[in-house]
Amino acid sequence: MVRPSVILLFVIGMGMSSSVLARSRWQSPDCDSCRTVVEQFYKGWEVTIAGLAANGTYEDQVGKAPKIVYNQHIEDFLQGFCDSQWMKGYSDYIGDGCKRIMKEHHRPIVGKFLHEEERLGTTGRRTTRPQRIQAICKDLVKVCPQYPSAKNQVTSRKDRCQACRGVVSDALYILRRSKLGALQPTGLRKKRMELYEMLDNMCPEMYFRHSDEPEVYDDVCQEMWEDEDTILGELTRRASDSETTGRLCSESFSYCSADAGKDKEDL
C-alpha cells in the first residue's frame, strides 16, 4: 500500500488521479478533508451557539431541531470557518479541501445543524456525530463512499479485534491529515512529542467517530494508550496502514489473530 506521505505529495504536485482513487476511498485526501471539516465544524458550532443561547437566539429541543435565529454571528462563522482557529494545524490539502467543500456545500451542511436535533456536551457518551459525518461526507459531498467500511464494524462488546483496528485507523487518519503526515520516519521520530500531544485526546473522540459500540473502541483505546511507546513507535515507522494495523493489533496487543489484524480492504 502506498504510504500516506507519498499520496499527499503526489496529490499536491499532480492533483488527484486514478492511482490515488485506487486506495480505499474512505482514506482518500478528499474524504480526510470532509471528515475533518465536519469534526471541526462541530467544535466551532458549539462555541457559536453557546453564545446564541446566552443572548436568547438559540434553544435546544429534545427530539427535534433546535430553535435558532440565523444571524450575523452564524454568517461570520461560516464565511471564515476554513481560515479560523478550528482549521489550524492541518496539512495544506485539508485546508484546500475545506474551502472547496464549504464553497460548494456550505448551505446544506449548515442545514444539517439547523434543522436536525442537536446534542451538545457529548464527550464520553454516544452522539449523533458519526451519523452526521456519514450523511455529509458519504451522502451529500460524496467523497467517502465506503465510510464507514461495512467490513470493519464492531458488532458486539466482545469484538475487541475490530475495535483495535478502528483505533489504529483513527490514529493513522489523525497523523495523515496533520502537518506531520508528510514526514519520513527519521523526521517523524524527531517530532515524537508533537505526535503524542496530537493523539492524546484520541480515546474520548471515539464517541465522535464511531456509532457501532463506541464504548468498546474507547475501552480498547485506553488499554492500548497505556503502552504509548509501542503505538508511537509503530506510527513513526511509516509502514503501510495494513502492516501497522497488523503489528499493533495482532503482535503488540494480541487483540486479533494474524490475519484478522490486517486491514480487510487489503486481504
Side-chain angles (χ1 to χ4, degrees):
M1 181 176 287
V2 182
R3 292 182 181 178
S5 56
V6 175
I7 288 178
L8 175 57
L9 293 173
F10 182 83
V11 171
I12 290 175
M14 300 295 293
M16 187 169 296
S17 72
S18 59
S19 65
V20 176
L21 292 175
R23 277 178 63 92
S24 300
R25 283 297 303 273
W26 56 276
Q27 293 183 355
S28 76
D30 282 352
C31 186
D32 284 354
S33 295
C34 187
R35 291 174 62 190
T36 302
V37 165
V38 181
E39 289 177 5
Q40 296 304 108
F41 193 92
Y42 255 107
K43 295 179 180 180
W45 183 252
E46 287 192 346
V47 172
T48 299
I49 62 177
L52 299 181
N55 63 29
T57 54
Y58 173 90
E59 180 183 345
D60 195 16
Q61 299 188 110
V62 178
K64 54 184 177 180
K67 291 181 179 179
I68 188 168
V69 177
Y70 192 96
N71 57 26
Q72 192 60 44
H73 292 293
I74 297 177
E75 183 65 21
D76 290 344
F77 170 64
L78 295 177
Q79 293 300 323
F81 174 72
C82 292
D83 294 316
S84 71
Q85 61 175 314
W86 310 110
M87 293 300 296
K88 298 296 184 184
Y90 295 108
S91 181
D92 290 344
Y93 82 93
I94 297 293
D96 293 342
C98 178
K99 292 175 182 177
R100 184 170 58 254
I101 289 167
M102 293 302 287
K103 179 180 179 180
E104 298 176 6
H105 302 284
H106 76 275
R107 291 189 182 278
I109 288 175
V110 174
K112 292 288 184 182
F113 288 81
L114 290 176
H115 306 306
E116 297 179 5
E117 181 184 4
E118 192 60 86
R119 300 178 189 174
L120 304 180
T122 53
T123 299
R125 58 192 177 94
R126 295 195 180 213
T127 173
T128 57
R129 293 191 190 196
Q131 293 91 334
R132 192 166 289 179
I133 292 172
Q134 181 176 346
I136 292 173
C137 297
K138 180 178 181 179
D139 302 329
L140 173 63
V141 185
K142 300 184 184 303
V143 291
C144 302
Q146 297 178 16
Y147 176 81
S149 173
K151 298 179 181 180
N152 298 333
Q153 299 292 292
V154 172
T155 57
S156 77
R157 292 181 178 270
K158 296 180 180 180
D159 199 354
R160 301 173 77 78
C161 173
Q162 294 290 71
C164 178
R165 296 176 66 249
V167 170
V168 176
S169 177
D170 283 359
L172 290 167
Y173 157 68
I174 292 169
L175 171 59
R176 189 168 61 237
R177 68 181 185 173
S178 74
K179 291 189 178 297
L180 302 182
L183 296 177
Q184 294 300 312
T186 300
L188 192 55
R189 282 193 290 270
K190 294 178 181 179
K191 300 288 185 178
R192 186 183 178 95
M193 183 54 66
E194 289 184 36
L195 178 60
Y196 170 83
E197 293 174 351
M198 189 170 64
L199 295 172
D200 191 39
N201 200 43
M202 181 177 68
C203 296
E205 291 180 348
M206 293 291 144
Y207 291 89
F208 301 162
R209 298 190 175 111
H210 302 278
S211 59
D212 52 319
E213 305 292 349
E215 296 85 357
V216 181
Y217 288 98
D218 183 29
D219 187 35
V220 170
C221 182
Q222 298 286 357
E223 288 180 357
M224 295 175 69
W225 203 237
E226 290 178 2
D227 188 2
E228 64 190 54
D229 287 340
T230 295
I231 296 176
L232 296 177
E234 287 299 328
L235 291 176
T236 57
R237 290 177 69 245
R238 301 315 306 263
S240 69
D241 290 6
S242 179
E243 182 180 347
T244 300
T245 302
R247 287 175 64 90
L248 283 171
C249 295
S250 297
E251 300 176 20
S252 298
F253 294 99
S254 301
Y255 288 117
C256 306
S257 65
D259 287 338
K262 295 179 181 178
D263 188 337
K264 290 187 178 181
E265 299 291 341
D266 295 333
L267 293 177

